[in-house]
């Protein structure tokens, strides 16, 4: 039986079945979504403040990322996904990655990432 109204919500994380896990660094989300990202106003402000011309040059005039700095063609997959070892992939700009990556997985994904886990960061 449901203990609270919250348990009825599809994105509720209060049930035992939806056990939170940590990111396994499989890289699947970056691999599948990394070529279809968009910046936030906050990202642009932060990169300007941090002097990240390398990142700003990879944003097109509509805010899509990541583009080739010279041709402005959208790159797919994300150029910042790096293989750390045989099983793990990491974000090489983790300290200032875009909000859209930071916020993933959102309520729109029911807080479930591509590997199926309910993430705890
Ligand atoms: S968030 Fe999920 S899909 Fe993305 S790297 Fe971590 S475990 Fe893999
Ligand atoms: S910027 Fe980092 S977190 Fe975002 S898609 Fe690229 S590698 Fe993944």
């Amino acid at each position: 039986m449901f203990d609270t109204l919250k348990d009825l919500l599809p994105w509720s994380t209060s049930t035992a079945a939806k056990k939170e896990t940590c990111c396994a660094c499989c890289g699947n989300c970056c691999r599948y979504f990394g070529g279809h990202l968009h910046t936030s106003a906050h990202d642009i402000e932060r990169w300007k403040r941090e002097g990240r011309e390398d990142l700003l040059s990879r944003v097109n005039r509509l805010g899509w990322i990541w583009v080739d700095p010279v041709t402005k063609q959208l790159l797919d997959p994300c150029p910042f996904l790096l293989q750390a070892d045989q099983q793990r992939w990491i974000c090489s700009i983790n300290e200032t990655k875009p909000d859209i990556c930071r916020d993933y997985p959102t309520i729109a994904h029911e807080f479930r990432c591509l590997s199926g886990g309910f993430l705890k960061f």
Side-chain angles (χ1 to χ4, degrees), residues 23-29 104 113-115 119:
C23 172
C25 295
C26 67
N28 283 339
C29 53
Y104 176 84
C113 80
L114 269 185
S115 75
L119 294 193

Side-chain angles (χ1 to χ4, degrees), residues 4-121:
T4 66
L5 181 60
K6 197 177 161 196
D7 288 339
L8 291 168
L9 300 174
W11 55 83
S12 170
T13 56
S14 64
T15 56
K18 292 184 175 179
K19 193 169 178 295
E20 288 183 338
T21 58
C22 292
C23 172
C25 295
C26 67
N28 283 339
C29 53
C30 304
R31 214 167 284 120
Y32 287 103
F33 301 134
H36 313 275
L37 303 176
H38 201 274
T39 53
S40 67
H42 180 241
D43 292 327
I44 301 295
E45 282 169 26
R46 185 176 69 258
W47 294 336
K48 283 182 179 168
R49 193 174 61 244
E50 295 172 348
R52 294 302 299 260
E53 291 303 322
D54 58 328
L55 301 184
L56 291 168
S57 69
R58 290 180 173 278
V59 182
N60 77 8
R61 62 188 175 85
L62 297 176
W64 289 97
I65 48 178
W66 303 101
V67 299
D68 181 288
V70 177
T71 66
K72 299 299 177 190
Q73 291 294 307
L74 200 56
L75 300 172
D76 188 8
C78 172
F80 300 109
L81 180 61
L82 287 187
Q83 188 164 15
D85 57 38
Q86 286 201 328
Q87 294 178 334
R88 292 182 319 119
W89 295 75
I90 57 171
C91 173
S92 62
I93 56 164
N94 191 52
E95 73 286 357
T96 194
K97 64 186 175 187
D99 288 343
I100 196 170
C101 300
R102 196 173 301 278
D103 294 343
Y104 176 84
T106 67
I107 192 170
H109 312 100
E110 297 187 2
F111 302 115
R112 185 194 289 264
C113 80
L114 269 185
S115 75
F118 289 90
L119 294 193
K120 163 176 82 177
F121 294 97

